[in-house]
């Protein structure tokens, strides 16, 4: 029975200690310690990362870009361009003569909004028209990596020319070279824009 008496006060003390620790700063400190363990699982771009970790992050990002493009194609109702899927991580993408049309151009533009790899985009002879130009200028307002764009021979017409003109007057992108030769069926319009002039 002597053994039972000391147990009751210790149990009582433990209850008081638990209650006291719940109200103390120690509990908050323990909760704060658990948070960094969760953050370590997230990929971050710190100087302590290895090249391998950076490559894994870039592959994840690119996979997201491809999925975004495929979803955009479903949304606008076009067949995805396999060449674009294979080359959307390259700095130069040549989509000349692919028959994109306005809807195919819109899908490409959606994928390029957050793309940081493509710096030169060739879209010559794709029948983009004014509707496609709207999509491209919306993309260019968000994408500050694309520097050169070829829109030659795309039947842009007066409306497309107006949209481009208004966009260039605002100059809200990093675009430094824009090719616009042959943008309407009759008469042939020859123009090249260079932001460095």
């Amino acid at each position: 029975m002597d053994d039972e008496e000391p147990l009751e006060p210790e149990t009582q003390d433990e209850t008081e200690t638990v209650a006291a620790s719940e109200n103390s700063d120690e509990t908050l400190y323990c909760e704060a310690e658990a948070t960094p363990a969760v953050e370590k699982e997230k990929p971050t771009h710190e100087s302590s990362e290895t090249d391998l970790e950076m490559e894994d992050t870039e592959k994840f990002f690119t996979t997201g870009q491809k999925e975004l493009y495929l979803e955009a194609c479903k949304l606008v109702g076009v067949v995805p361009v396999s060449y674009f899927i294979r080359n959307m991580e390259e700095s130069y993408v040549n989509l000349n003569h692919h028959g994109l049309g306005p809807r195919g151009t819109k899908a490409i533009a959606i994928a390029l909004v957050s793309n940081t790899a493509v710096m030169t985009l060739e879209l010559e002879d794709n029948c983009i028209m004014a509707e496609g130009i709207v999509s491209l200028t919306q993309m260019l307002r968000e994408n500050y990596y694309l520097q050169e764009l070829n829109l030659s021979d795309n039947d842009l017409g007066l409306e497309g020319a107006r949209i481009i003109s208004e966009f260039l007057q605002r100059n809200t992108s990093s675009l430094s070279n824009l090719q616009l030769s042959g943008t309407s069926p009759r008469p042939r319009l020859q123009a090249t824009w260079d932001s460095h002039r």
Side-chain angles (χ1 to χ4, degrees):
M1 292 242 179
D2 290 332
D3 293 334
E4 291 179 10
E5 289 179 13
L7 288 178
E8 289 178 17
E10 283 179 17
T11 308
Q12 209 170 27
D13 287 340
E14 286 175 8
T15 308
E16 290 173 6
T17 305
V18 170
S21 67
E22 287 177 0
N23 295 327
S24 72
D25 291 334
E26 289 179 28
T27 304
L28 296 175
Y29 180 74
C30 290
E31 289 177 0
E33 279 186 328
T35 306
V38 174
E39 289 178 3
K40 287 180 184 176
E41 295 173 8
K42 298 176 184 175
T44 58
H45 292 287
E46 296 177 0
S47 58
S48 64
E49 282 190 337
T50 64
D51 291 339
L52 181 60
E53 289 172 332
M54 292 293 286
E55 288 174 6
D56 289 344
T57 304
E58 288 171 6
K59 285 178 185 174
F60 174 75
F61 178 74
T62 306
T63 302
Q65 292 287 304
K66 290 175 184 176
E67 291 170 354
L68 176 64
Y69 174 61
L70 294 173
E71 286 299 316
C73 288
K74 285 180 189 175
L75 178 72
V76 299
V78 295
V79 176
V81 178
S82 59
Y83 174 84
F84 182 63
I85 293 171
R86 288 191 312 268
N87 293 283
M88 65 192 315
E89 4 182 307
E90 302 297 325
S91 62
Y92 176 84
V93 176
N94 186 337
L95 292 172
N96 293 341
H97 318 293
H98 271 77
L100 297 174
R103 293 186 302 155
T105 303
K106 184 174 184 175
I108 298 280
I110 290 170
L112 289 176
V113 166
S114 58
N115 184 293
T116 59
V118 178
M119 298 174 75
T120 301
L121 180 62
E122 299 278 348
L123 291 174
E124 184 177 341
D125 186 30
N126 276 291
C127 199
I128 291 173
M129 299 189 285
E131 184 184 340
I133 291 300
V134 170
S135 301
L136 289 172
T137 55
Q138 289 173 347
M139 175 270 294
L140 287 168
R141 287 186 192 116
E142 302 295 325
N143 182 321
Y144 289 97
Y145 294 89
L146 189 64
Q147 297 174 4
E148 297 181 27
L149 180 60
N150 181 0
L151 296 175
S152 302
D153 299 317
N154 273 297
D155 299 327
L156 303 181
L158 293 175
E159 181 63 14
R162 182 191 64 76
I163 293 166
I164 290 173
S165 174
E166 289 177 1
F167 172 75
L168 294 176
Q169 287 174 4
R170 287 191 296 269
N171 196 19
T172 58
S173 77
S174 61
L175 204 61
S176 62
N177 189 332
L178 176 63
Q179 296 178 31
L180 295 168
S181 63
T183 54
S184 67
R186 290 181 223 113
R188 302 286 278 186
L189 173 66
Q190 300 290 328
T192 299
W193 178 76
D194 189 345
S195 67
H196 299 295
R197 290 182 185 173

